[in-house]
Amino acid sequence: MKSPWKILMTAPVFFLLPLHSLASWAYDDQPGTSHSNGHTCVGCVLVISVIDQLAQVHNSTVQASMERLCSYLPEKLFLKTTCYLVINTFGSDIIKLLSADMNADVVCHTLKFCKQETGQPLCHLYPVPKEAWTYTLEKARQIVKKSPTQRYYRSGSDICSLPFLAKICQKIKLAIQNSVPFKDVDLDKYSVFPTLRGYHWRGRDCNDRDKSVYPGRRPDNWDVHQDSNCNGIWGVDPKDGIPYEKKFCEGSQPRGIILLGDSAGAHFHISPEWITASQMSLNSFFNLPTALTDELDWPQLSGVTGFLDSTSRIKEKSIYLRLQKRNHCNHRDYQSISRNGASSQRLEKFIESLSRNQLLDQPAIVIYAMIGNDVCNGKADPVPEMTTPEKLYSKVMQTLKYLNSHLPKGSHVIFYGLPDGNFLWDNLHNRYHPLGQLNKDVTYAQLYSFLNCLQVSPCHGWMSSNKTLRTLTSERAEQLSNTLKKIATSEKFTHFDLFYMDFSFQEIIQEWQKRGGQPWQLIEPVDGFHPNEVASLLLANSFWKKVQLQWPQVLGKENSFNSQIEQVFGDQGGH
């Protein structure tokens, strides 16, 4: 649940993409791979594939397809400018090689964006050329032998090395590492800015110059003079002189929703339009700058903290939107304390970004959903890197003690178990990846093999043709889920009660099939790994139903004043 972020940062314009360094920042806590150029290699193969396919789709020259790709990219974040710089640097070589019918693997090895280390296997996405690989590669190198590009110094430097940008890059780096808003004037961990850990991730601040004003707090003096908790309810009813917050919210059991999650909970998503030549247009990359500054996560559309209506046309809502509908006093009280690559072992690096004051704030529902990275990694032998039940127990207890010292009394913590990821291989391996749909030449099995070879797979254990390895990964996931279940049934805390819920992906598949869907439609098409938006919202629906049935006290009461709140305050100020 980590590598696709690095890959996509390199993909649009190789490793020269201005924000390439941000990718690394998001994963500083991840074990390194032995193939340090792995993400650059994948990014190169993606881009060369798109250039080649654009030429096919539009029956154009390679030069025209490169220019077409650059013309589609937005000006924001220097994307278009950098793309043209890359064309000027590598374009002539790319043209020569693709014109000689070399595929993307050969091109990227020739240009040394991909490297076969001594004693290591050859990593390739496409079928190996009919002629011997060494012969084909030597032939390709002869084509560009006298090219000045071959002397290009690949220092790995990026735009953040420029002196006038170093300071702002450092601030962005800290925002991502610490999982707090980049733009936060009063330093209360809430922002009026959407991305860079702003209100896409936690409720929008309604006064960024007052540290005592933020979503989720108990109202100050019933918010007679200002909206201290940003739920859009404040002032006094002129008819009877009673503060609206007191009239509408007192005794309604307000509460927030907090996710401690990984990239699945944050809704990691790479748009297929970004790499599918037949669908590419001027509009394809419109949302790329936003996605990049949200670390390729879309928490505003996630199943837990999403506050925007679904783009997938299903009626299900996020858990936050359901809580807000149940009690309008919960407006804006959400936090996605999630991070790509997060696991039980690495949560301590960013859990301090959680904002909750035991004395001043409302209780919260905390969902602990580290559903993948305790068993998922990209190592050639992934099993030794998996979290053991003993290590999980130790780290989870550490997390719970932290929560007990920060959550207000009356809060609730719910563990999500780990899924059985066998459904990935079972439902996807023989299907064509978006890159392979035009020429029927890349299946998910090939993609998985390519990523595993480079040791940049988000989950070698499940994204593998080795059935024994997939089984071992599922067995470890079940052991870790049982450990969470044991903790939930045996441990007690003073400020919250503790529950466990299975990660019921098979139930979600069955529900989707009842609606006429297929299991593969629930997985992100580009990375072939993460649950997509539909799956996330179906999981939210299942979660809500189970909590209503088993632990209704977790959700609080329905507020009988909701309609009156709507009449007086309308949309309560947006998000």
Side-chain angles (χ1 to χ4, degrees):
M1 294 188 181
K2 46 186 180 294
S3 299
W5 161 236
K6 283 187 175 178
I7 291 165
L8 217 286
M9 294 302 283
T10 57
V13 284
F14 300 125
F15 67 103
L16 295 176
L17 187 65
L19 290 184
H20 173 67
S21 56
L22 292 186
S24 303
W25 298 341
Y27 297 93
D28 279 348
D29 57 353
Q30 297 299 315
T33 65
S34 60
H35 294 201
S36 59
N37 71 324
H39 297 107
T40 300
C41 178
V42 178
C44 176
V45 171
L46 284 176
V47 175
I48 298 300
S49 298
V50 169
I51 291 170
D52 192 21
Q53 291 183 19
L54 278 171
Q56 292 180 54
V57 169
H58 297 280
N59 194 25
S60 69
T61 63
V62 175
Q63 175 73 34
S65 72
M66 288 191 294
E67 291 178 354
R68 183 185 298 275
L69 176 59
C70 290
S71 73
Y72 290 159
L73 291 170
E75 295 284 0
K76 288 182 179 178
L77 305 182
F78 308 102
L79 293 175
K80 189 188 294 288
T81 301
T82 308
C83 185
Y84 282 116
L85 285 173
V86 171
I87 284 182
N88 289 335
T89 305
F90 301 104
S92 62
D93 286 349
I94 294 171
I95 291 169
K96 291 173 187 174
L97 292 167
L98 289 180
S99 299
D101 293 328
M102 303 295 177
N103 68 22
D105 292 318
V106 177
V107 172
C108 293
H109 277 273
T110 304
L111 299 181
K112 300 180 182 176
F113 289 103
C114 297
K115 299 175 183 176
Q116 184 180 7
E117 305 290 348
T118 304
Q120 296 295 332
L122 170 70
C123 301
H124 59 94
L125 179 62
Y126 295 91
V128 176
K130 292 179 181 178
E131 297 174 326
W133 170 260
T134 51
Y135 174 79
T136 303
L137 189 58
E138 182 57 34
K139 183 177 173 183
R141 285 172 177 164
Q142 289 299 319
I143 292 173
V144 296
K145 185 176 182 180
K146 296 181 180 180
S147 168
T149 303
Q150 296 307 296
R151 296 192 298 270
Y152 179 77
Y153 179 62
R154 295 179 178 85
S155 64
S157 62
D158 55 50
I159 199 167
C160 287
S161 63
L162 298 175
F164 62 93
L165 287 177
K167 190 172 181 180
I168 192 169
C169 282
Q170 182 65 19
K171 285 188 70 175
I172 294 173
K173 176 181 178 179
L174 288 173
I176 292 177
Q177 280 186 337
N178 299 330
S179 301
V180 293
F182 167 70
K183 187 175 181 180
D184 179 14
V185 176
D186 57 14
L187 299 178
D188 60 3
K189 298 182 181 177
Y190 293 90
S191 179
V192 296
F193 191 73
T195 62
L196 289 172
R197 291 285 167 167
Y199 67 79
H200 282 176
W201 298 84
R202 55 184 88 205
R204 185 173 183 170
D205 203 340
C206 53
N207 185 344
D208 202 23
R209 298 190 178 277
D210 187 340
K211 193 170 185 176
S212 68
V213 174
Y214 54 86
R217 67 159 294 168
R218 298 181 189 274
D220 178 24
N221 192 30
W222 291 114
D223 285 0
V224 170
H225 300 296
Q226 69 167 342
D227 185 7
S228 68
N229 56 17
C230 299
N231 68 0
I233 302 170
W234 67 286
V236 176
D237 189 337
K239 296 176 184 177
D240 53 23
I242 300 175
Y244 285 116
E245 179 86 37
K246 182 176 179 66
K247 177 181 285 191
F248 294 153
C249 299
E250 186 178 29
S252 72
Q253 301 176 343
R255 62 203 57 210
I257 181 73
I258 299 173
L259 172 67
L260 301 179
D262 53 23
S263 54
H267 184 27
F268 185 93
H269 168 70
I270 299 172
S271 296
E273 295 80 11
W274 297 345
I275 66 164
T276 308
S278 60
Q279 298 177 17
M280 214 171 276
S281 69
L282 282 171
N283 297 322
S284 296
F285 296 96
F286 173 77
N287 53 15
L288 179 58
T290 297
L292 289 174
T293 47
D294 267 336
E295 301 154 55
L296 289 180
D297 296 322
W298 305 69
Q300 70 275 28
L301 290 166
S302 67
V304 177
T305 63
F307 58 84
L308 296 179
D309 287 333
S310 169
T311 63
S312 56
R313 299 179 183 174
I314 66 170
K315 68 181 189 300
E316 280 72 19
K317 303 286 186 183
S318 71
I319 295 169
Y320 161 70
L321 284 176
R322 290 167 186 263
L323 277 173
Q324 198 268 351
K325 181 180 180 182
R326 187 177 184 87
N327 182 358
H328 290 355
C329 300
N330 294 334
H331 185 57
R332 292 189 186 172
D333 195 357
Y334 61 90
Q335 297 179 54
S336 181
I337 311 301
S338 307
R339 188 163 166 183
N340 299 337
S343 70
S344 68
Q345 307 303 296
R346 295 186 283 268
L347 177 57
E348 64 186 309
K349 290 183 178 289
F350 63 95
I351 194 173
E352 291 181 5
S353 66
L354 184 151
S355 173
R356 218 63 179 180
N357 185 299
Q358 286 189 322
L359 299 178
L360 298 178
D361 297 351
Q362 303 285 8
I365 304 168
V366 178
I367 299 176
Y368 179 100
M370 301 293 160
I371 66 169
N373 294 311
D374 282 295
V375 295
C376 285
N377 63 78
K379 296 289 188 180
D381 182 4
V383 177
E385 297 291 330
M386 295 179 185
T387 301
T388 62
E390 294 75 20
K391 285 185 177 179
L392 181 79
Y393 182 88
S394 174
K395 286 294 186 181
V396 168
M397 289 302 297
Q398 183 180 324
T399 297
L400 292 174
K401 288 172 184 175
Y402 182 89
L403 292 175
N404 200 45
S405 64
H406 287 76
L407 295 177
K409 277 193 174 181
S411 294
H412 310 275
V413 176
I414 301 176
F415 288 146
Y416 247 143
L418 283 70
D420 178 357
N422 269 305
F423 60 81
L424 295 172
W425 180 266
D426 292 345
N427 292 294
L428 286 177
H429 76 277
N430 58 356
R431 297 191 60 80
Y432 288 112
H433 184 266
L435 274 183
Q437 287 171 6
L438 182 66
N439 297 312
K440 308 300 183 213
D441 54 358
V442 178
T443 63
Y444 282 96
Q446 288 167 256
L447 173 72
Y448 292 170
S449 176
F450 183 45
L451 298 178
N452 291 336
C453 179
L454 291 168
Q455 297 191 44
V456 296
S457 171
C459 195
H460 187 174
W462 277 321
M463 298 164 70
S464 171
S465 60
N466 185 330
K467 186 174 182 180
T468 301
L469 179 56
R470 298 199 306 270
T471 301
L472 284 172
T473 307
S474 293
E475 287 174 353
R476 179 62 60 87
E478 185 177 8
Q479 290 170 3
L480 298 185
S481 294
N482 288 336
T483 301
L484 292 172
K485 193 182 301 185
K486 179 182 177 182
I487 294 172
T489 55
S490 63
E491 301 293 340
K492 303 294 179 186
F493 295 88
T494 55
H495 283 76
F496 57 83
D497 46 18
L498 189 56
F499 307 101
Y500 171 86
M501 183 181 294
D502 283 323
F503 190 91
S504 52
F505 207 81
Q506 286 303 321
E507 290 180 24
I508 302 309
I509 290 175
Q510 291 169 11
E511 172 62 30
W512 185 237
Q513 288 175 319
K514 285 180 187 175
R515 303 184 188 193
Q518 296 296 320
W520 59 267
Q521 294 172 319
L522 298 173
I523 306 300
E524 283 289 333
V526 174
D527 63 53
F529 179 57
H530 291 87
N532 66 11
E533 187 180 317
V534 171
S536 297
L537 292 174
L538 291 177
L539 283 165
N541 186 52
S542 173
F543 174 95
W544 189 268
K545 287 180 177 178
K546 288 179 180 178
V547 173
Q548 272 189 318
L549 185 65
Q550 298 176 36
W551 320 299
Q553 72 276 16
V554 168
L555 304 176
K557 300 188 297 187
E558 287 196 46
N559 192 337
S560 59
F561 292 104
N562 282 338
S563 59
Q564 291 174 252
I565 293 172
E566 290 178 25
Q567 288 174 1
V568 177
F569 296 101
D571 69 358
Q572 294 174 258
H575 289 86

PDB file of all heavy atoms in Angstrom, residues 7-27:
ATOM      1  N   ILE A   7       5.760   5.542  -7.588  1.00  0.00           N
ATOM      2  CA  ILE A   7       5.746   5.259  -9.022  1.00  0.00           C
ATOM      3  C   ILE A   7       5.058   6.377  -9.785  1.00  0.00           C
ATOM      4  O   ILE A   7       5.556   6.872 -10.783  1.00  0.00           O
ATOM      5  CB  ILE A   7       5.029   3.916  -9.285  1.00  0.00           C
ATOM      6  CG1 ILE A   7       5.886   2.768  -8.752  1.00  0.00           C
ATOM      7  CG2 ILE A   7       4.751   3.732 -10.772  1.00  0.00           C
ATOM      8  CD1 ILE A   7       5.147   1.464  -8.632  1.00  0.00           C
ATOM      9  N   LEU A   8       3.884   6.818  -9.311  1.00  0.00           N
ATOM     10  CA  LEU A   8       3.132   7.825 -10.034  1.00  0.00           C
ATOM     11  C   LEU A   8       3.844   9.165 -10.013  1.00  0.00           C
ATOM     12  O   LEU A   8       3.759   9.946 -10.953  1.00  0.00           O
ATOM     13  CB  LEU A   8       1.719   7.967  -9.454  1.00  0.00           C
ATOM     14  CG  LEU A   8       0.611   8.221 -10.476  1.00  0.00           C
ATOM     15  CD1 LEU A   8       0.645   9.632 -11.012  1.00  0.00           C
ATOM     16  CD2 LEU A   8       0.680   7.212 -11.606  1.00  0.00           C
ATOM     17  N   MET A   9       4.589   9.437  -8.943  1.00  0.00           N
ATOM     18  CA  MET A   9       5.318  10.688  -8.887  1.00  0.00           C
ATOM     19  C   MET A   9       6.386  10.726  -9.973  1.00  0.00           C
ATOM     20  O   MET A   9       6.741  11.784 -10.465  1.00  0.00           O
ATOM     21  CB  MET A   9       5.994  10.853  -7.524  1.00  0.00           C
ATOM     22  CG  MET A   9       5.009  10.997  -6.381  1.00  0.00           C
ATOM     23  SD  MET A   9       3.910  12.377  -6.623  1.00  0.00           S
ATOM     24  CE  MET A   9       5.002  13.698  -6.178  1.00  0.00           C
ATOM     25  N   THR A  10       6.917   9.572 -10.336  1.00  0.00           N
ATOM     26  CA  THR A  10       7.922   9.544 -11.395  1.00  0.00           C
ATOM     27  C   THR A  10       7.273   9.403 -12.757  1.00  0.00           C
ATOM     28  O   THR A  10       7.846   9.830 -13.759  1.00  0.00           O
ATOM     29  CB  THR A  10       8.893   8.366 -11.199  1.00  0.00           C
ATOM     30  OG1 THR A  10       8.151   7.155 -11.147  1.00  0.00           O
ATOM     31  CG2 THR A  10       9.694   8.518  -9.936  1.00  0.00           C
ATOM     32  N   ALA A  11       6.079   8.844 -12.824  1.00  0.00           N
ATOM     33  CA  ALA A  11       5.506   8.465 -14.110  1.00  0.00           C
ATOM     34  C   ALA A  11       5.217   9.615 -15.063  1.00  0.00           C
ATOM     35  O   ALA A  11       5.588   9.530 -16.223  1.00  0.00           O
ATOM     36  CB  ALA A  11       4.249   7.635 -13.899  1.00  0.00           C
ATOM     37  N   PRO A  12       4.542  10.706 -14.645  1.00  0.00           N
ATOM     38  CA  PRO A  12       4.158  11.689 -15.651  1.00  0.00           C
ATOM     39  C   PRO A  12       5.333  12.220 -16.463  1.00  0.00           C
ATOM     40  O   PRO A  12       5.217  12.423 -17.647  1.00  0.00           O
ATOM     41  CB  PRO A  12       3.496  12.794 -14.834  1.00  0.00           C
ATOM     42  CG  PRO A  12       2.988  12.105 -13.620  1.00  0.00           C
ATOM     43  CD  PRO A  12       4.003  11.054 -13.322  1.00  0.00           C
ATOM     44  N   VAL A  13       6.458  12.477 -15.846  1.00  0.00           N
ATOM     45  CA  VAL A  13       7.605  12.994 -16.586  1.00  0.00           C
ATOM     46  C   VAL A  13       8.894  12.383 -16.043  1.00  0.00           C
ATOM     47  O   VAL A  13       9.844  13.078 -15.706  1.00  0.00           O
ATOM     48  CB  VAL A  13       7.664  14.529 -16.535  1.00  0.00           C
ATOM     49  CG1 VAL A  13       6.662  15.141 -17.454  1.00  0.00           C
ATOM     50  CG2 VAL A  13       7.437  15.040 -15.125  1.00  0.00           C
ATOM     51  N   PHE A  14       8.936  11.073 -15.955  1.00  0.00           N
ATOM     52  CA  PHE A  14      10.068  10.335 -15.401  1.00  0.00           C
ATOM     53  C   PHE A  14      10.383  10.820 -13.986  1.00  0.00           C
ATOM     54  O   PHE A  14       9.538  11.300 -13.266  1.00  0.00           O
ATOM     55  CB  PHE A  14      11.318  10.461 -16.281  1.00  0.00           C
ATOM     56  CG  PHE A  14      11.165   9.948 -17.665  1.00  0.00           C
ATOM     57  CD1 PHE A  14      11.437  10.736 -18.751  1.00  0.00           C
ATOM     58  CD2 PHE A  14      10.733   8.658 -17.894  1.00  0.00           C
ATOM     59  CE1 PHE A  14      11.307  10.255 -20.042  1.00  0.00           C
ATOM     60  CE2 PHE A  14      10.610   8.156 -19.174  1.00  0.00           C
ATOM     61  CZ  PHE A  14      10.893   8.964 -20.242  1.00  0.00           C
ATOM     62  N   PHE A  15      11.630  10.706 -13.620  1.00  0.00           N
ATOM     63  CA  PHE A  15      12.028  11.092 -12.277  1.00  0.00           C
ATOM     64  C   PHE A  15      12.217  12.591 -12.151  1.00  0.00           C
ATOM     65  O   PHE A  15      12.543  13.098 -11.083  1.00  0.00           O
ATOM     66  CB  PHE A  15      13.331  10.387 -11.883  1.00  0.00           C
ATOM     67  CG  PHE A  15      14.525  10.829 -12.672  1.00  0.00           C
ATOM     68  CD1 PHE A  15      15.459  11.694 -12.138  1.00  0.00           C
ATOM     69  CD2 PHE A  15      14.704  10.359 -13.960  1.00  0.00           C
ATOM     70  CE1 PHE A  15      16.556  12.097 -12.883  1.00  0.00           C
ATOM     71  CE2 PHE A  15      15.803  10.762 -14.702  1.00  0.00           C
ATOM     72  CZ  PHE A  15      16.731  11.630 -14.171  1.00  0.00           C
ATOM     73  N   LEU A  16      12.012  13.348 -13.233  1.00  0.00           N
ATOM     74  CA  LEU A  16      12.199  14.797 -13.181  1.00  0.00           C
ATOM     75  C   LEU A  16      10.951  15.531 -12.728  1.00  0.00           C
ATOM     76  O   LEU A  16      10.956  16.754 -12.641  1.00  0.00           O
ATOM     77  CB  LEU A  16      12.614  15.332 -14.562  1.00  0.00           C
ATOM     78  CG  LEU A  16      13.970  14.850 -15.075  1.00  0.00           C
ATOM     79  CD1 LEU A  16      14.200  15.361 -16.479  1.00  0.00           C
ATOM     80  CD2 LEU A  16      15.072  15.340 -14.153  1.00  0.00           C
ATOM     81  N   LEU A  17       9.870  14.844 -12.495  1.00  0.00           N
ATOM     82  CA  LEU A  17       8.662  15.508 -12.024  1.00  0.00           C
ATOM     83  C   LEU A  17       9.011  16.352 -10.798  1.00  0.00           C
ATOM     84  O   LEU A  17       9.609  15.863  -9.855  1.00  0.00           O
ATOM     85  CB  LEU A  17       7.614  14.460 -11.650  1.00  0.00           C
ATOM     86  CG  LEU A  17       6.223  14.979 -11.295  1.00  0.00           C
ATOM     87  CD1 LEU A  17       5.594  15.630 -12.511  1.00  0.00           C
ATOM     88  CD2 LEU A  17       5.358  13.835 -10.824  1.00  0.00           C
ATOM     89  N   PRO A  18       8.639  17.629 -10.772  1.00  0.00           N
ATOM     90  CA  PRO A  18       9.081  18.522  -9.695  1.00  0.00           C
ATOM     91  C   PRO A  18       8.786  18.026  -8.295  1.00  0.00           C
ATOM     92  O   PRO A  18       9.545  18.304  -7.381  1.00  0.00           O
ATOM     93  CB  PRO A  18       8.308  19.812  -9.987  1.00  0.00           C
ATOM     94  CG  PRO A  18       8.078  19.797 -11.452  1.00  0.00           C
ATOM     95  CD  PRO A  18       7.897  18.354 -11.814  1.00  0.00           C
ATOM     96  N   LEU A  19       7.711  17.310  -8.128  1.00  0.00           N
ATOM     97  CA  LEU A  19       7.377  16.873  -6.770  1.00  0.00           C
ATOM     98  C   LEU A  19       7.868  15.467  -6.473  1.00  0.00           C
ATOM     99  O   LEU A  19       7.421  14.845  -5.525  1.00  0.00           O
ATOM    100  CB  LEU A  19       5.859  16.939  -6.556  1.00  0.00           C
ATOM    101  CG  LEU A  19       5.274  18.344  -6.488  1.00  0.00           C
ATOM    102  CD1 LEU A  19       3.799  18.271  -6.183  1.00  0.00           C
ATOM    103  CD2 LEU A  19       5.982  19.197  -5.463  1.00  0.00           C
ATOM    104  N   HIS A  20       8.804  14.978  -7.268  1.00  0.00           N
ATOM    105  CA  HIS A  20       9.286  13.603  -7.058  1.00  0.00           C
ATOM    106  C   HIS A  20       9.759  13.372  -5.625  1.00  0.00           C
ATOM    107  O   HIS A  20       9.516  12.331  -5.038  1.00  0.00           O
ATOM    108  CB  HIS A  20      10.414  13.291  -8.018  1.00  0.00           C
ATOM    109  CG  HIS A  20      11.088  11.978  -7.774  1.00  0.00           C
ATOM    110  ND1 HIS A  20      10.429  10.782  -7.977  1.00  0.00           N
ATOM    111  CD2 HIS A  20      12.320  11.651  -7.323  1.00  0.00           C
ATOM    112  CE1 HIS A  20      11.243   9.783  -7.671  1.00  0.00           C
ATOM    113  NE2 HIS A  20      12.390  10.288  -7.269  1.00  0.00           N
ATOM    114  N   SER A  21      10.402  14.388  -5.053  1.00  0.00           N
ATOM    115  CA  SER A  21      10.936  14.211  -3.700  1.00  0.00           C
ATOM    116  C   SER A  21       9.833  14.023  -2.679  1.00  0.00           C
ATOM    117  O   SER A  21      10.028  13.386  -1.652  1.00  0.00           O
ATOM    118  CB  SER A  21      11.792  15.416  -3.307  1.00  0.00           C
ATOM    119  OG  SER A  21      11.058  16.607  -3.411  1.00  0.00           O
ATOM    120  N   LEU A  22       8.632  14.582  -2.957  1.00  0.00           N
ATOM    121  CA  LEU A  22       7.533  14.405  -2.010  1.00  0.00           C
ATOM    122  C   LEU A  22       7.175  12.933  -1.853  1.00  0.00           C
ATOM    123  O   LEU A  22       6.731  12.497  -0.803  1.00  0.00           O
ATOM    124  CB  LEU A  22       6.285  15.175  -2.477  1.00  0.00           C
ATOM    125  CG  LEU A  22       6.383  16.701  -2.460  1.00  0.00           C
ATOM    126  CD1 LEU A  22       5.036  17.295  -2.815  1.00  0.00           C
ATOM    127  CD2 LEU A  22       6.845  17.205  -1.112  1.00  0.00           C
ATOM    128  N   ALA A  23       7.371  12.177  -2.930  1.00  0.00           N
ATOM    129  CA  ALA A  23       7.076  10.750  -2.850  1.00  0.00           C
ATOM    130  C   ALA A  23       7.921  10.093  -1.773  1.00  0.00           C
ATOM    131  O   ALA A  23       7.434   9.302  -0.970  1.00  0.00           O
ATOM    132  CB  ALA A  23       7.360  10.097  -4.204  1.00  0.00           C
ATOM    133  N   SER A  24       9.201  10.422  -1.782  1.00  0.00           N
ATOM    134  CA  SER A  24      10.104   9.825  -0.807  1.00  0.00           C
ATOM    135  C   SER A  24       9.722  10.238   0.606  1.00  0.00           C
ATOM    136  O   SER A  24       9.787   9.445   1.531  1.00  0.00           O
ATOM    137  CB  SER A  24      11.542  10.254  -1.098  1.00  0.00           C
ATOM    138  OG  SER A  24      11.899   9.893  -2.410  1.00  0.00           O
ATOM    139  N   TRP A  25       9.312  11.508   0.769  1.00  0.00           N
ATOM    140  CA  TRP A  25       8.964  11.985   2.098  1.00  0.00           C
ATOM    141  C   TRP A  25       7.819  11.184   2.678  1.00  0.00           C
ATOM    142  O   TRP A  25       7.757  10.926   3.868  1.00  0.00           O
ATOM    143  CB  TRP A  25       8.588  13.461   2.047  1.00  0.00           C
ATOM    144  CG  TRP A  25       9.706  14.328   1.596  1.00  0.00           C
ATOM    145  CD1 TRP A  25      11.040  14.004   1.591  1.00  0.00           C
ATOM    146  CD2 TRP A  25       9.615  15.643   1.053  1.00  0.00           C
ATOM    147  NE1 TRP A  25      11.773  15.045   1.092  1.00  0.00           N
ATOM    148  CE2 TRP A  25      10.943  16.059   0.753  1.00  0.00           C
ATOM    149  CE3 TRP A  25       8.566  16.506   0.796  1.00  0.00           C
ATOM    150  CZ2 TRP A  25      11.218  17.310   0.219  1.00  0.00           C
ATOM    151  CZ3 TRP A  25       8.833  17.750   0.264  1.00  0.00           C
ATOM    152  CH2 TRP A  25      10.150  18.141  -0.023  1.00  0.00           C
ATOM    153  N   ALA A  26       6.884  10.807   1.822  1.00  0.00           N
ATOM    154  CA  ALA A  26       5.731  10.053   2.319  1.00  0.00           C
ATOM    155  C   ALA A  26       6.125   8.658   2.785  1.00  0.00           C
ATOM    156  O   ALA A  26       5.382   7.997   3.484  1.00  0.00           O
ATOM    157  CB  ALA A  26       4.668   9.944   1.223  1.00  0.00           C
ATOM    158  N   TYR A  27       7.317   8.221   2.414  1.00  0.00           N
ATOM    159  CA  TYR A  27       7.727   6.860   2.721  1.00  0.00           C
ATOM    160  C   TYR A  27       9.065   6.779   3.438  1.00  0.00           C
ATOM    161  O   TYR A  27       9.728   5.776   3.406  1.00  0.00           O
ATOM    162  CB  TYR A  27       7.794   6.029   1.431  1.00  0.00           C
ATOM    163  CG  TYR A  27       6.445   5.943   0.828  1.00  0.00           C
ATOM    164  CD1 TYR A  27       6.032   6.852  -0.124  1.00  0.00           C
ATOM    165  CD2 TYR A  27       5.529   5.007   1.296  1.00  0.00           C
ATOM    166  CE1 TYR A  27       4.749   6.815  -0.627  1.00  0.00           C
ATOM    167  CE2 TYR A  27       4.258   4.959   0.791  1.00  0.00           C
ATOM    168  CZ  TYR A  27       3.868   5.866  -0.172  1.00  0.00           C
ATOM    169  OH  TYR A  27       2.602   5.832  -0.666  1.00  0.00           O
TER     170      TYR A  27
END
